[in-house]
Amino acid sequence: ETDGILFSADAFGTFAMSGSTDAWDAEARRYYTNIVGRFGANVQGVMKKLRDHRFATVAPLHGPVLKENLAHYWSLYDKWSRYEPETEGVLVAYASIYGGTAEAARRLGAMLEAEGVGEVVMFDLSRHDVSYAVAEAFRLSGMVLCSVTYDSDLFPAMREFLHHIESKRLCRRRVGLIENGTWAPVAAKLMTETLSRMKEMDIVAPAVTLFHDRDPLAHERDGHRSPRRHPPQPSPRRRHPRPPVPRRRHVHPLIPPLKYIKDTIDAMFADLRIHRPNMASVVSL
């Protein structure tokens, strides 16, 4: 009864629902890269042993039983376990706080599409599950990582993504780096340190540092003085002294005036038609 059936355990498993093969490629890729991805050499060893065996059905522990197009599934597993990209293209993964880094990433994505570099996938690491980004990093041939600096470290979403692809032993990818340079940037340096520990990662140099247009020191830090749009004009001397401004008692902007508090309490007790307390004691508080 079991002749020609491969009971593959986790191999060829997928997050897709049992009985459906429509989304097998995407969900099996996400399953493999996030669950099995670290053990590519082990998978290759098992696949070599299976090459001399014939089977017509693959029955994994997770996902649908596979009975057709087995060569396609086998080919994908072979690529994934060799860490070879399936598609020429670029994953633009960004971790942004207030939207500036995200806007720069979107502009870069449009430029890459205009250059015809292949498929361009935009991924917001702060808003979407990191498992999908890991799967895309395995699928595509290149990446651009865009991050802000946060507490003299990487923004947590980017740090988590880098931790995942390093632990899954992703290798042989070309990677560009963009950091937001508004506040003491170290993001590119930290991303480079992580990527340098991974095998055969081609890090494009130099990294791109973003500076805000309104930062007067941005261009000076790069060795260029930013010209003023309007040169400063000397302020005219006043003919008459400014009249003295009467001093006012400081009032906290969040604390309403005392009269407003009293009127509000009066209106409240009037509406409730209950006994009104002694306002002198209330105001003294």
Side-chain angles (χ1 to χ4, degrees):
E1 295 180 358
T2 59
D3 288 345
I5 301 177
L6 174 63
F7 293 96
S8 59
D10 285 335
F12 299 97
T14 173
F15 289 124
M17 296 177 61
S18 298
S20 173
T21 57
D22 294 338
W24 193 93
D25 289 11
E27 289 303 301
R29 182 188 305 108
R30 188 165 69 95
Y31 182 90
Y32 175 88
T33 56
N34 288 275
I35 306 297
V36 192
R38 181 180 179 85
F39 307 103
N42 304 74
V43 173
Q44 279 292 307
V46 173
M47 294 182 75
K48 288 179 181 179
K49 294 179 181 179
L50 290 174
R51 283 193 175 94
D52 296 331
H53 297 270
R54 296 290 180 266
F55 47 88
T57 302
V58 177
L61 289 175
H62 311 279
V65 174
L66 306 174
K67 296 183 178 180
E68 299 177 353
N69 205 15
L70 297 187
H72 171 70
Y73 305 137
W74 182 275
S75 174
L76 287 178
Y77 248 70
D78 187 49
K79 283 187 175 182
W80 298 338
S81 56
R82 293 178 185 271
Y83 303 98
E84 294 180 357
E86 299 172 52
T87 307
E88 286 294 323
V90 180
L91 167 65
V92 181
Y94 56 92
S96 184
I97 300 179
Y98 300 114
T101 306
E103 176 62 24
R106 285 190 287 268
R107 293 188 184 185
L108 173 66
M111 294 168 62
L112 291 173
E113 289 180 344
E115 290 292 328
V117 299
E119 184 178 353
V120 177
V121 175
M122 307 296 300
F123 199 95
D124 187 345
L125 295 170
S126 301
R127 296 179 179 272
H128 302 290
D129 190 274
V130 70
S131 66
Y132 292 93
V134 173
E136 290 299 306
F138 268 73
R139 186 175 71 89
L140 298 170
S141 59
M143 294 184 292
V144 177
L145 307 181
C146 316
S147 180
V148 297
T149 298
Y150 183 76
D151 287 344
S152 300
D153 199 347
L154 283 174
F155 194 57
M158 180 59 73
R159 187 173 64 245
E160 182 185 8
F161 172 68
L162 286 169
H163 166 73
H164 278 279
I165 62 173
E166 182 185 14
S167 65
K168 304 309 177 187
R169 297 177 177 170
L170 182 66
C171 56
R172 297 190 295 277
R173 297 294 190 275
R174 195 174 192 194
V175 187
L177 300 176
I178 296 178
E179 65 178 355
N180 194 311
T182 305
W183 292 95
V186 295
K189 174 178 175 290
L190 297 175
M191 289 189 287
T192 300
E193 290 177 357
T194 301
L195 293 166
S196 298
R197 296 193 297 265
M198 302 165 65
K199 291 183 179 180
E200 301 180 52
M201 299 296 274
D202 180 13
I203 305 173
V204 178
V208 176
T209 300
L210 306 175
F211 288 109
H212 197 285
D213 288 342
R214 296 183 181 178
D215 183 357
L217 300 180
H219 297 285
E220 295 179 14
R221 284 195 291 264
D222 283 344
H224 306 284
R225 292 187 60 85
S226 55
R228 295 177 179 267
R229 293 184 178 179
H230 303 287
Q233 300 293 332
S235 56
R237 181 175 298 179
R238 295 181 179 273
R239 295 183 179 180
H240 304 286
R242 180 179 296 177
V245 178
R247 298 182 63 182
R248 297 182 181 180
R249 184 179 177 183
H250 175 71
V251 179
H252 193 280
L254 297 182
I255 301 178
L258 182 62
K259 183 177 184 305
Y260 174 80
I261 298 176
K262 178 178 178 301
D263 293 343
T264 303
I265 294 176
D266 285 340
M268 178 179 67
F269 282 100
D271 291 341
L272 294 176
R273 300 179 182 278
I274 59 178
H275 176 68
R276 177 180 178 278
N278 184 4
M279 286 305 301
S281 61
V282 174
V283 171
S284 66
L285 296 178

